[in-house]
Amino acid sequence: MNYPDPETPARAEADGHPYASEETITGGYDLAGRVCRELERAGFSAYIVGPGQKKQTGVAVEVDDQGQCAGGLYVRWSAPELGLAGLQAVRERQDRAAPELKHYQAVVLLMQTALIGILRLAGFSAVRAEEVDDMAEGDVYVHRAEQADSVRVVSS
């Protein structure tokens, strides 16, 4: 497994945020592949996020490479056109409560719930990402097997 920038792991470790082992990251990518296949079986367009990859419509699956939950996954539904329409409405009207943005936010939460349900039905340990990272609102977190053994799955 090659990191996009060979100096990044060293800098992260110096800052107190060490990267996971190569074995853990490799396991995360294996898990990501299985999650993508299951989501594709359910009719979603799903892809594993790579370095510098442009945001696409569908479900992005990103391996967590740092910290206590390293090797787990962030699963993120994306509809760039819908999100852009919401942000554009806010910018044009200077109104953070623009109906287009509220619509986008509601759809994100509906998709989060759907993704959790689909992934749990397939046997994955999936939770709202806010339970792992309070900055990941709207995402889904899939725990790797070792994490799942120690995590209580809460119904959404």
Side-chain angles (χ1 to χ4, degrees):
M1 171 65 44
N2 292 328
Y3 293 103
D5 170 6
E7 294 181 17
T8 300
R11 277 196 309 267
E13 192 162 333
D15 291 339
H17 305 285
Y19 268 69
S21 70
E22 205 168 299
E23 181 181 322
T24 298
I25 299 299
T26 300
Y29 278 96
D30 176 60
L31 177 61
R34 290 185 286 131
V35 163
C36 282
R37 282 189 295 282
E38 191 59 41
L39 291 173
E40 287 166 354
R41 286 182 51 194
F44 289 93
S45 172
Y47 63 97
I48 299 171
V49 174
Q53 187 169 10
K54 186 179 175 190
K55 196 177 220 181
Q56 302 173 31
T57 298
V59 181
V61 179
E62 184 175 0
V63 176
D64 187 358
D65 57 12
Q66 292 185 32
Q68 186 177 5
C69 294
L73 311 174
Y74 286 96
V75 178
R76 178 176 303 115
W77 174 79
S78 176
E81 282 187 40
L82 188 60
L84 185 58
L87 292 176
Q88 227 170 355
V90 168
R91 189 174 32 244
E92 288 171 2
R93 295 186 209 132
Q94 297 294 306
D95 177 12
R96 298 189 91 156
E100 295 88 345
L101 182 63
K102 291 204 172 286
H103 174 78
Y104 173 71
Q105 292 169 331
V107 172
V108 166
L109 292 177
L110 288 168
M111 293 305 293
Q112 180 189 49
T113 301
L115 290 168
I116 288 170
I118 290 164
L119 293 170
R120 285 183 182 172
L121 281 172
F124 295 101
S125 175
V127 297
R128 293 172 55 240
E130 297 92 327
E131 294 179 23
V132 175
D133 177 355
D134 59 0
M135 298 297 289
E137 187 176 347
D139 292 354
V140 173
Y141 196 85
V142 177
H143 295 277
R144 66 180 197 277
E146 303 82 52
Q147 295 169 329
D149 293 339
S150 64
V151 174
R152 187 176 129 264
V153 177
V154 180
S155 297
S156 296

